[in-house]
Amino acid sequence: MALTHEQMTFPADRRLRLWIRPSALVVLAAVAMAPIVAAWVQYAIAGLPSVSGPRDPASAEGPHGFPLWLRSAHYLNLLLMVFMIRSGLSILMDHPRLYWNVHCTPGSEWLRVTPVLVPTDRVWTAKDDARYISPWLALPGGRHTVGIARHWHFLVALLWVANGLVFVTLLWATGQWRRIVPHSWQIVPEAWAVLVHYATFHMPPEPDGFYQYNSLQHLAYFAVVFILPPLSILTGLAMSPAVDSRFRWYARIFGGRQAARSIHFLLLLAYLGFIAVHVLMVVVTGLARNMDHIVMGTDETGIPGLILGGIGIGVIILACVAAHWVSWRRPRALQYAARRLVEGLMRVGLDPMAPRARYSREEISPHFWPNGKLPTSEEWLRLADDGFRDYRLQVHGLVQHPVELSMDEIRALGKQEQITMHHCIQGWSGIAQWGGLPLARLVELVRPAPEAKFVVFHSFGEGLYGGEYYDCHSMTNVLHPQSLLAYERNGAPLERLYGAPLRLRVENQLGYKMVKWIKSVEFVAGVEQVGKGHGGKNEDDEYYDLIANI
Ligand SMILES: Nc1nc2c(c(=O)[nH]1)N[C@H]1C(S)=C(S)[C@@H](COP(=O)(O)O)O[C@H]1N2
Ligand SMILES: [Mo]
């Protein structure tokens, strides 16, 4: 029985469990503790190092203070980061495991946010593995909300990058960069001396932040503006099927797609760590004065900065409530906003790149996460029991030469083999060898009419919420040399679980576009007439993107 959205989104089992591999925990703890231990050792042996005291504000190098553009960008950044972090958590929960290897073999993860150990005595799909997260923590939260979460993540990412570019440009244009970009290596020992103070619970002499930062603060701000965000963007892109299938070297810079995903998550921890310490320091080094600096742009200790700052935080909370409402009540509008902006960019930037990455036999994944529901229809079961002898692939629609092809006829049309990496929207990946008919051959055979713009692949299987699984691909993507109707996996006939008798490979797209258990292929002018009209079963029911390059 198909479950309702309500039952899927708010399952009975909502346990939240975090597990970290002990060795990973040791490494993380060592990295976090090493400087603190070193600081204590130095303090015990040599006492507190000296920190050059606050200089006379007037003599501190300029520029001083915080102009309006800087205060606005700082505030906007906070708002956008809240959205990025909350939507990122929803995305993580759709495959709540992090790995350093590309295969995602269950049990090889270094971190999991699920109490479930993958059962080995029955089929356990990636969809089964997705977890619930509270909407109080994540945007939108619930379970199986990766489609909506991604819309927030990418739409906001565009604004976040734009805000960051404006910020950095103005830093340069106004000389404000000198406050956070180190200009001498001398800053490193000075920052260390400040750290020894904090780590041993001493306050170093604080310069007034309006005029100057202490050296550790200077370095921390530099890192959070110039190091972490570029790394987040670059590791984010390394998860893109379009980028990975075009430039194999790119994800390797980070140690592969899953290592990039793990680093993307570690960067989240770095932001959270920064925010925690930053807020703590704002509070302990003079809350009213600091708030006045960053809210009002003056060097006073009055309450307007506190009040206006509090209102600003209230506005962020209201924005979260509004985003929650949009996610649950107007998801289609959000999907269409993303379609215009994010997909618009993909259409020109990523989608036209023809995939060409290939892997070696040794790189084939030992475990390949299955996804989707095996068809249960009489028709498919009968065909499968008989080795698909009576199967006929129906190719129809806007074509000059509609055909019905048996498996033997399909095999006779020409076979291509490729070893490629699969990218699931949920976050996992896997490498497999696929053998099948290049879709370009099929197109050549049926001769689409000029008005045919999309190709619909209909499945024998059902979607998560029942109803036929299908998906639409643009003609360009169908014609890429690596686009296949696969009937073999790892050199053997395609197993039932993996899509027998035929499944798609369109390597520059995410996994959900690769329909399994294909029943028929239809050429259409637009996606509006098919299903609910949004381009596929997941596009209809889960608000996924029509173009899935990231
Ligand atoms: N018919 C059908 N095809 C489907 C799905 C499905 O649910 N039904 N799931 C998709 C998703 S989300 C993924 S990631 C891949 C998984 O392919 P695999 O089982 O070979 O890993 O199949 C895709 N094709
Ligand atoms: Mo997927």
Side-chain angles (χ1 to χ4, degrees):
M1 247 328 282
L3 289 171
T4 62
H5 275 272
E6 190 67 16
Q7 289 162 316
M8 279 287 182
T9 315
F10 300 100
D13 178 7
R14 302 190 200 171
R15 287 171 298 160
L16 184 65
R17 289 274 194 296
L18 178 67
W19 174 88
I20 303 183
R21 182 171 290 283
S23 54
L25 191 60
V26 168
V27 172
L28 282 180
V31 169
M33 294 303 292
I36 297 175
V37 171
W40 275 97
V41 169
Q42 177 175 343
Y43 174 56
I45 296 172
L48 278 178
S50 72
V51 169
S52 48
R55 284 159 223 156
D56 165 24
S59 74
E61 268 182 72
H64 303 149
F66 305 99
L68 180 64
W69 65 262
L70 191 150
R71 287 178 274 137
S72 315
H74 175 259
Y75 174 69
L76 195 56
N77 184 63
L78 173 61
L79 170 76
L80 300 175
M81 282 303 281
V82 167
F83 273 63
M84 293 303 285
I85 291 170
R86 283 168 45 78
S87 56
L89 284 177
S90 275
I91 296 171
L92 174 67
M93 294 310 275
D94 229 61
H95 188 70
R97 301 168 193 271
L98 293 173
Y99 317 82
W100 293 109
N101 69 84
V102 288
H103 307 301
C104 305
T105 311
S108 71
E109 63 268 17
W110 66 270
L111 179 141
R112 62 171 172 263
V113 203
T114 167
V116 176
L117 290 175
V118 174
T120 47
D121 58 341
R122 64 198 149 102
V123 173
W124 184 254
T125 66
K127 277 265 158 73
D128 293 329
D129 205 52
R131 293 300 293 181
Y132 167 89
I133 183 164
S134 167
W136 288 99
L137 272 179
L139 176 66
R143 181 166 176 252
H144 290 309
T145 57
V146 66
I148 305 271
R150 280 163 48 95
H151 293 323
W152 287 116
H153 206 68
F154 298 137
L155 280 170
V156 172
L158 294 178
L159 296 177
W160 182 68
V161 170
N163 186 51
L165 289 176
V166 169
F167 185 76
V168 170
T169 308
L170 287 173
L171 277 185
W172 244 265
T174 60
Q176 282 278 352
W177 64 271
R178 273 180 279 150
R179 298 186 53 142
I180 61 167
V181 177
H183 15 110
S184 138
W185 284 105
Q186 190 50 35
I187 194 167
V188 176
E190 279 175 18
W192 176 255
V194 173
L195 188 103
V196 173
H197 277 77
Y198 290 144
T200 58
F201 304 111
H202 295 86
M203 287 307 265
E206 282 293 344
D208 182 339
F210 194 76
Y211 298 98
Q212 197 190 12
Y213 298 136
N214 78 39
S215 305
L216 186 60
Q217 195 179 9
H218 192 126
L219 279 187
Y221 293 175
F222 174 73
V224 87
V225 173
F226 290 102
I227 298 179
L228 303 191
L231 281 177
S232 291
I233 296 164
L234 296 174
T235 51
L237 273 177
M239 292 184 251
S240 147
V243 172
D244 291 359
S245 65
R246 175 66 173 227
F247 309 110
R248 250 205 85 169
W249 55 267
Y250 182 69
R252 277 182 178 159
I253 299 174
F254 307 99
R257 193 216 187 200
Q258 291 301 322
R261 183 166 168 260
S262 288
I263 296 170
H264 202 71
F265 174 80
L266 291 175
L267 288 162
L268 160 71
L269 297 189
Y271 293 117
L272 290 177
F274 172 85
I275 294 168
V277 174
H278 183 50
V279 170
L280 181 74
M281 296 310 291
V282 164
V283 174
V284 301
T285 61
L287 179 63
R289 169 161 256 144
N290 288 328
M291 287 299 281
D292 186 82
H293 291 169
I294 202 58
V295 177
M296 311 300 293
T298 52
D299 192 23
E300 313 282 342
T301 50
I303 56 163
L306 281 173
I307 292 177
L308 208 58
I311 292 173
I313 290 170
V315 167
I316 292 177
I317 293 170
L318 283 181
C320 288
V321 173
H324 177 88
W325 184 86
V326 169
S327 303
W328 298 98
R329 299 297 173 84
R330 294 289 181 274
R332 197 66 79 192
L334 184 65
Q335 179 188 28
Y336 273 78
R339 186 157 287 189
R340 241 157 250 140
L341 276 150
V342 183
E343 283 188 37
L345 278 177
M346 282 196 275
R347 189 168 288 124
V348 293
L350 297 175
D351 206 48
M353 302 193 299
R356 59 182 181 207
R358 282 169 185 272
Y359 294 77
S360 69
R361 253 168 238 280
E362 294 69 50
E363 289 171 296
I364 290 176
S365 298
H367 174 90
F368 201 87
W369 280 84
N371 229 349
K373 287 194 285 197
L374 265 170
T376 48
S377 76
E378 279 286 321
E379 189 188 5
W380 183 81
L381 285 169
R382 195 170 35 75
L383 289 169
D385 286 344
D386 194 33
F388 296 100
R389 236 179 301 272
D390 293 334
Y391 172 79
R392 295 292 177 273
L393 174 72
Q394 207 199 339
V395 189
H396 62 118
L398 300 173
V399 292
Q400 293 168 27
H401 180 53
V403 290
E404 284 195 11
L405 302 168
S406 69
M407 285 308 295
D408 282 341
E409 288 167 321
I410 290 171
R411 283 190 203 95
L413 280 173
K415 176 175 162 190
Q416 177 175 313
E417 288 191 338
Q418 62 199 37
I419 303 178
T420 52
M421 188 194 283
H422 181 94
H423 299 67
C424 173
I425 190 171
Q426 296 183 268
W428 57 273
S429 45
I431 298 171
Q433 178 178 344
W434 304 99
L437 171 66
L439 279 164
R441 282 286 296 119
L442 189 70
V443 170
E444 209 181 313
L445 179 74
V446 300
R447 293 190 308 259
E451 62 272 25
K453 293 284 180 286
F454 284 91
V455 189
V456 193
F457 296 84
H458 298 276
S459 174
F460 286 105
E462 295 201 333
L464 191 58
Y465 304 99
E468 179 202 87
Y469 194 98
Y470 77 96
D471 205 273
C472 302
H473 286 271
S474 69
M475 206 57 117
T476 325
N477 277 321
V478 160
L479 290 173
H480 284 316
Q482 280 193 344
S483 296
L484 290 190
L485 265 184
Y487 46 78
E488 282 180 7
R489 190 180 81 97
N490 296 343
L494 193 60
E495 304 96 312
R496 290 187 184 198
L497 182 59
Y498 292 100
L502 288 172
R503 62 96 42 88
L504 266 183
R505 297 304 310 165
V506 183
E507 307 293 354
N508 63 339
Q509 303 287 317
L510 290 172
Y512 69 87
K513 305 278 308 176
M514 304 194 205
V515 179
K516 306 202 293 186
W517 310 294
I518 294 174
K519 183 183 193 172
S520 61
V521 180
E522 183 186 0
F523 288 72
V524 296
V527 303
E528 296 74 21
Q529 314 310 322
V530 197
K532 288 185 201 157
H534 308 286
K537 187 63 181 160
N538 287 302
E539 290 87 329
D540 286 346
D541 291 353
E542 298 186 64
Y543 312 98
Y544 285 10
D545 321 77
L546 177 57
I547 300 179
N549 295 141
I550 46 173

